[in-house]
Amino acid sequence: MAVVGVVMGSASDWPVMEKAADVLAEFGVPYAVKVSSAHRTLDETVAWARQFAEQGGMIIIAGAGLAAHLPGVVAAAVELPVIGVPIASGHLNGVDALYSIVQMPPGVPVAAVGINGARNAGLLAVEILALASTELRDKLCEFRRNQAEKVAAQDAALRGRGGQGERLN
Ligand code: RP5
């Protein structure tokens, strides 16, 4: 049973949204993927979101470009946390989608990550789920430790280049 739904307005969004799916897979979180457009297939989008919630889905990650109605429409359809991913496309390169997602009117919130920030959307979903799962919390701690170790390794490698270490601090 999918716990996180990853929905996007077009298959053209998948190269970005795939990064959210990758994170969920990394953490072993069951997820479902859906292409559905807020303006081209409105009824199907609402029906999908409601069915996902009825079947026990807990969080929706919704990515869209341009005017980017999808995250807001999905958030209006169900009482689940929705994380919006603004996709870079068109003349405004994602700024339009960012504003559209982040400026939801009061009453129907959408959490927004940065433009093309699907990886962070996946991580935020994992962090929300980790509130009720010690297993996920442990995995997150390990993930953060590994991340910190990589920075330390980069630092050590740069310090090895002719004693420039002091400048890095
Ligand atoms: C939005 O319009 C989609 O989310 C996509 O980012 C953008 C362009 O869609 P396509 O023309 O590539 O289908 O609805």
Side-chain angles (χ1 to χ4, degrees), residues 8-10 12-13 37 39-40 63-66 87 89:
M8 64 217 81
S10 167
S12 66
D13 299 324
S37 165
H39 53 285
R40 293 170 181 155
L66 304 175
I87 307 280
S89 68

